[in-house]
């Protein structure tokens, strides 16, 4: 069955960096667009970044632009999110997700994603 397993979360101080990974299995990874989402306690889920099947097209929420970089390795069935200059407001559970709806307009909309991981916690202290 489809599995998405996130890793790389942790606790860092403001200004620090983290690299999240998402290992995919059980489906043709390279045929799906991928995304990173996050949800903080008491807040709605937010689309952070999306990436096309080839990795050539990427999409970012305004909150992530200039600080986060999404990438993928189709040979390794792995998705990444490099995060720098982290802020306390970045604190959340981060989820990776897969979708067949590969349109830029859908990249940050969770309802268009078919498969989800269990999440990895990122905590940024001031």
């Amino acid at each position: 069955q489809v599995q998405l397993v996130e890793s790389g979360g942790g606790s860092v101080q403001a200004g620090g960096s983290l690299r999240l990974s998402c290992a995919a299995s059980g489906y043709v990874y390279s045929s799906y667009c991928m995304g990173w989402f996050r949800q903080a306690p008491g807040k709605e889920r937010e689309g952070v970044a999306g990436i096309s099947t080839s990795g050539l097209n990427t999409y970012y929420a305004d909150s992530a632009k200039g600080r986060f970089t999404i990438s993928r390795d189709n040979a390794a069935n792995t998705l990444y999110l490099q995060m720098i200059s982290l802020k306390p407001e970045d604190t959340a559970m981060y989820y990776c997700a897969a979708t067949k709806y590969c349109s830029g307009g859908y990249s940050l909309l969770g309802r268009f994603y078919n498969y989800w991981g269990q999440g990895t916690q990122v905590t940024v202290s001031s």
Side-chain angles (χ1 to χ4, degrees):
Q1 73 270 21
V2 174
Q3 273 197 314
L4 297 173
V5 180
E6 302 93 338
S7 61
S11 297
V12 297
Q13 289 193 325
S17 302
L18 282 173
R19 189 194 196 201
L20 306 184
S21 298
C22 171
S25 61
Y27 70 106
V28 183
Y29 174 73
S30 59
S31 296
Y32 282 69
C33 290
M34 301 293 294
W36 285 100
F37 295 79
R38 66 185 182 187
Q39 188 166 21
K43 294 189 176 181
E44 291 189 355
R45 182 178 61 198
E46 174 190 17
V48 175
I51 190 167
S52 62
T53 53
S54 65
L56 292 178
N57 297 308
T58 55
Y59 311 90
Y60 295 95
D62 287 344
S63 58
K65 288 178 182 176
R67 299 189 301 124
F68 294 3
T69 302
I70 188 171
S71 62
R72 66 189 297 164
D73 183 342
N74 285 346
N77 287 3
T78 304
L79 177 72
Y80 302 100
L81 185 68
Q82 178 69 51
M83 304 185 293
I84 65 171
S85 302
L86 284 162
K87 305 174 182 179
E89 50 263 45
D90 294 318
T91 295
M93 185 72 78
Y94 283 72
Y95 301 89
C96 67
T99 179
K100 272 287 195 179
Y101 294 96
C102 289
S103 168
Y106 300 144
S107 294
L108 301 182
L109 300 177
R111 64 181 182 272
F112 290 104
Y113 281 75
N114 309 100
Y115 305 115
W116 293 83
Q118 294 299 308
T120 186
Q121 178 67 38
V122 171
T123 302
V124 184
S125 57
S126 57

